[in-house]
């Protein structure tokens, strides 16, 4: 029985890899995994039999990554879909230079897809203690995640937020002349301040009116490092910076689009040239994305544009496409598209995830990467595995910027928010709400960055990857624990009920 089982295992494995293999059941196929390399696919040797590992793609880096290229091309069990730059763009060599970008000929900003009525309640009535935040239009899901923790504070606080851009959030704190938030000058364009109440299931969004004389901003919100917005913005003696979770961004298309993947080079054509190859270049258009009126983007102060600009070598001030004014309206524009094949937009992943039935994140293939990845290991998971391990490059951190008062400390109101993210071990309810918002706490990352879209370094400090996996995949290979005494020496820390290295 044992021999028959072994023979069947090898036969099935051989069929999977296209091998014609006859195994003498009285002999071993391998002594070590090195004996199996001739079959490809990084098989392992188990009980004398070569077993497929499921790792790919072919030619991936099996050793622990040391360089940025190693991280991008590390072996993985995640699904990947390649974009053929040669066949589709005419770029058949890594040494082929990308064509120079051209200034866009964008159309005027259209009205909101879904108009928003002017609010009738004052923001100051949101509660006895209010903290005011201003900045990145992608912040709404994290605000919703943080509000239950603020409501449980002693005393409780209500966070009122007005979306703008990431650089607008940084400027609102570093530039003292921009520290007031006001009701939108063009009501038809939206942009009202809002907060989340304590209704069940995450709270209900309530739009509200600011003080007619302006309301002082307690915290600036940005998905960018402050110097990315201005070299004059440096956290220090007058402004403090607190790091929040990781926010991935995706190139999103309507679910009815037939496109599955895109490369950084193709995105260069799209956002840098309106999808059209320069005449006489011998290159090809980035079909089907050749109608720039079908591109949904944000302006040059937004993290989605800045980070995509760094990935694609397109000046952030020269993006082709229609500025959709807010992330909500950008999502709505993609959902309302009548030209699915030509439509593409840049969304923070939380907005895309909540609309997976109608929107799809493209597999993104970075420069020098053999295959494109989504943030998650598959289209049906929410594990953000490829962001966490370095396969997926398009992401940034949430940054909280707040003025420092006497003694070099934030105001009491600002502290109620930012100090929740300062501790290595977040409150478990806050951690859960961050995960449910499709964001990634830094403790679940295995890679880190110290600059915008910079090379990866290993993530150190307190870890919660096991708990993250358990929450997003309903399973983990980690050892469950109630205390450190339950954990082995190589994973001695009991964090959120699982044994971690630190």
């Amino acid at each position: 029985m044992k021999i028959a089982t072994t023979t069947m295992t090898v036969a099935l494995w051989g069929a999977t890899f296209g091998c014609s293999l006859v195994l003498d059941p009285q002999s071993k196929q391998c002594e070590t995994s090195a004996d199996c390399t001739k079959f490809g696919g990084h098989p392992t040797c188990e009980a004398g039999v070569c077993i497929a590992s499921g790792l790919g793609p072919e030619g991936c880096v099996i050793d622990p990554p040391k360089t940025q290229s190693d991280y991008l091309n590390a072996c993985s069990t995640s699904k990947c879909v390649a974009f053929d730059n040669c066949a589709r763009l005419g770029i058949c060599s890594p040494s082929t230079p990308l064509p120079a970008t051209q200034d866009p000929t964008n159309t005027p900003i259209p009205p909101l897809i879904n108009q928003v009525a002017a609010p009738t309640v004052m923001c100051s009535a949101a509660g006895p203690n209010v903290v005011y935040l201003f900045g990145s239009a992608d912040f709404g899901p994290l605000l919703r995640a943080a509000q239950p923790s603020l409501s449980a504070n002693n005393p409780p606080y209500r966070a009122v937020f007005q979306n703008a851009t990431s650089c607008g959030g940084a400027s609102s704190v570093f530039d003292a002349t921009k520290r007031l938030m006001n009701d939108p000058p063009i009501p038809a364009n939206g942009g009202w301040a809002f907060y989340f109440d304590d209704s069940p299931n995450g709270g209900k969004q309530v739009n509200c009116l600011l003080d007619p004389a302006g309301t002082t901003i307690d915290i600036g919100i940005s998905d960018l490092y402050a110097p990315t917005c201005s070299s004059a913005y440096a956290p220090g003696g007058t402004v403090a910076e607190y790091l929040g979770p990781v926010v991935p961004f995706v190139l999103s298309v309507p679910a009815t689009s037939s496109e599955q993947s895109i490369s950084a080079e193709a995105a260069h054509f799209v956002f840098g040239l309106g999808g059209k190859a320069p005449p006489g270049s011998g290159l090809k258009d980035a079909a089907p994305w050749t109608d720039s009126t079908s591109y949904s983007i944000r302006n040059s102060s937004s993290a989605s544009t800045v980070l995509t600009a760094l990935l694609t070598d397109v000046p952030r001030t020269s993006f082709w496409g229609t500025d959709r004014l807010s992330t909500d309206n950008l999502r709505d524009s993609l959902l309302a598209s009548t030209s699915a094949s030509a439509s593409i937009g840049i969304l923070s992943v939380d907005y895309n995830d909540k609309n997976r039935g109608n929107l799809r994140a493209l597999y993104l293939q970075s420069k020098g990467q053999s295959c494109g990845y989504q943030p998650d290991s598959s289209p049906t998971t929410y594990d953000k595995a490829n962001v966490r391990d370095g396969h997926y490059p398009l992401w940034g951190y949430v940054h909280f910027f707040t003025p420092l008062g006497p003694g070099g400390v934030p105001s009491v109101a600002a502290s109620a928010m930012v100090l929740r993210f300062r501790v290595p071990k977040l409150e478990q309810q806050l951690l859960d709400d961050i995960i449910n918002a499709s964001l990634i706490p830094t403790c679940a990352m295995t890679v880190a960055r110290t600059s915008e879209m910079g090379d990866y370094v290993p993530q150190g400090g307190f870890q919660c990857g096991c708990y993250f996996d358990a929450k997003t995949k309903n399973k983990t290979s980690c050892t469950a624990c109630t205390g450190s005494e339950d954990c082995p020496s190589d994973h001695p820390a009991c964090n959120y009920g699982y044994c971690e290295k630190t």
Side-chain angles (χ1 to χ4, degrees):
M1 180 66 70
K2 182 178 180 180
I3 293 175
T5 301
T6 302
T7 303
M8 181 178 292
T9 299
V10 175
L12 289 172
W13 182 87
T16 301
F17 283 84
C19 305
S20 178
L21 177 65
V22 178
L23 175 66
D24 178 357
Q26 302 302 318
S27 65
K28 285 188 174 182
Q29 189 181 24
C30 58
E31 294 287 345
T32 67
S33 294
D35 299 331
C36 302
T37 56
K38 59 187 176 183
F39 297 114
H42 304 289
T44 59
C45 182
E46 298 181 20
V49 178
C50 291
I51 304 296
S53 66
L55 294 172
E58 193 63 36
C60 61
V61 178
I62 191 69
D63 295 324
K66 297 179 180 178
T67 67
Q68 185 74 357
S69 177
D70 290 347
Y71 280 106
L72 293 171
N73 293 294
C75 294
S76 173
T77 58
S78 294
K79 181 179 179 181
C80 67
V81 177
F83 186 93
D84 191 338
N85 284 326
C86 185
R88 297 190 61 170
L89 302 176
I91 297 178
C92 299
S93 169
S95 62
T96 301
L98 292 174
T101 59
Q102 299 176 1
D103 289 338
T105 54
N106 292 333
T107 57
I109 298 175
L112 299 183
I113 297 296
N114 297 310
Q115 293 294 309
V116 179
T120 57
V121 299
M122 296 299 295
C123 298
S124 57
N129 302 295
V130 180
V131 54
Y132 291 94
L133 304 89
F134 181 87
S136 170
D138 303 302
F139 183 66
L142 182 54
L143 178 64
R144 185 192 293 268
Q147 184 55 58
S149 179
L150 289 170
S151 295
N153 190 72
N154 185 18
Y157 270 86
R158 186 74 56 194
V160 171
F161 173 67
Q162 186 175 34
N163 71 51
T165 65
S166 283
C167 284
S171 296
S172 72
V173 173
F174 285 94
D175 186 342
T177 67
K178 299 179 179 179
R179 205 160 285 172
L180 291 180
M181 49 200 278
N182 298 277
D183 290 332
I186 307 176
N189 286 345
W192 301 102
F194 64 90
Y195 60 89
F196 291 101
D197 66 16
D198 295 324
S199 300
N201 302 318
K204 175 185 175 182
Q205 180 174 323
V206 180
N207 293 346
C208 58
L209 296 165
L210 297 164
D211 189 303
T215 300
T216 301
I217 296 165
D218 295 304
I219 304 171
I221 304 295
S222 179
D223 295 333
L224 301 170
Y225 286 94
T228 302
C229 300
S230 171
S231 59
Y233 297 167
T238 59
V239 174
E241 175 186 26
Y242 299 87
L243 207 62
V246 165
V247 183
F249 292 85
V250 297
L251 299 183
S252 182
V253 297
T256 52
S257 170
S258 61
E259 296 303 310
Q260 297 292 317
S261 64
I262 191 170
S263 66
E265 291 85 353
H268 175 91
F269 277 60
V270 171
F271 298 114
L273 297 109
K276 304 293 182 62
S281 66
L283 302 175
K284 302 176 183 180
D285 292 347
W289 302 298
T290 55
D291 177 8
S292 63
T293 63
S294 295
Y295 308 163
S296 292
I297 63 170
R298 293 298 322 285
N299 62 46
S300 62
S301 294
S302 299
S304 58
T305 297
V306 173
L307 298 179
T308 305
L310 292 170
L311 179 75
T312 61
D313 288 337
V314 176
R316 70 190 198 189
T317 56
S318 301
F319 262 51
W320 290 68
T322 302
D323 180 3
R324 296 296 182 180
L325 296 174
S326 72
T327 307
D328 291 272
N329 192 48
L330 197 156
R331 172 205 58 211
D332 293 344
S333 299
L334 286 174
L335 292 172
S337 171
T338 58
S339 181
S341 62
S343 295
I344 189 170
I346 312 170
L347 272 177
S348 55
V349 75
D350 37 12
Y351 284 82
N352 189 88
D353 276 359
K354 298 302 184 290
N355 293 275
R356 281 196 184 182
N358 298 296
L359 297 176
R360 185 175 67 254
L362 294 172
Y363 291 83
L364 178 58
Q365 180 177 303
S366 189
K367 292 177 185 175
Q369 197 170 23
S370 63
C371 201
Y373 293 86
Q374 292 181 330
D376 303 288
S377 60
S378 78
T380 59
T381 59
Y382 293 86
D383 56 16
K384 303 296 174 286
N386 296 319
V387 180
R388 293 164 59 199
D389 69 10
H391 281 91
Y392 189 86
L394 191 57
W395 57 267
Y397 295 101
V398 176
H399 303 257
F400 301 88
F401 299 112
T402 183
L404 294 176
V409 297
S411 69
V412 174
S415 295
M417 169 66 84
V418 298
L419 296 185
R420 289 182 144 66
F421 295 90
R422 183 180 185 179
V423 295
K425 184 176 183 179
L426 300 175
E427 299 170 8
Q428 188 159 342
Q429 185 59 57
L430 176 58
L431 178 68
D432 288 346
D433 290 337
I434 288 172
I435 295 172
N436 290 336
S438 290
L439 304 176
I440 310 170
T442 55
C443 60
M445 297 286 289
T446 62
V447 297
R449 283 171 167 155
T450 57
S451 62
E452 224 72 82
M453 295 292 289
D455 287 352
Y456 297 131
V457 296
Q459 174 70 45
F462 182 87
Q463 295 184 358
C464 65
C466 297
Y467 184 76
F468 191 96
D469 285 335
K471 289 290 291 183
T472 58
K473 298 190 291 188
N474 294 318
K475 62 179 181 180
T476 177
S477 59
C478 302
T479 302
C481 60
T482 56
S484 58
E485 64 276 5
D486 299 328
C487 297
S489 59
D490 58 343
H491 287 73
C494 184
N495 300 339
Y496 301 113
Y498 294 97
C499 296
E500 301 269 12
K501 288 184 178 180
T502 56

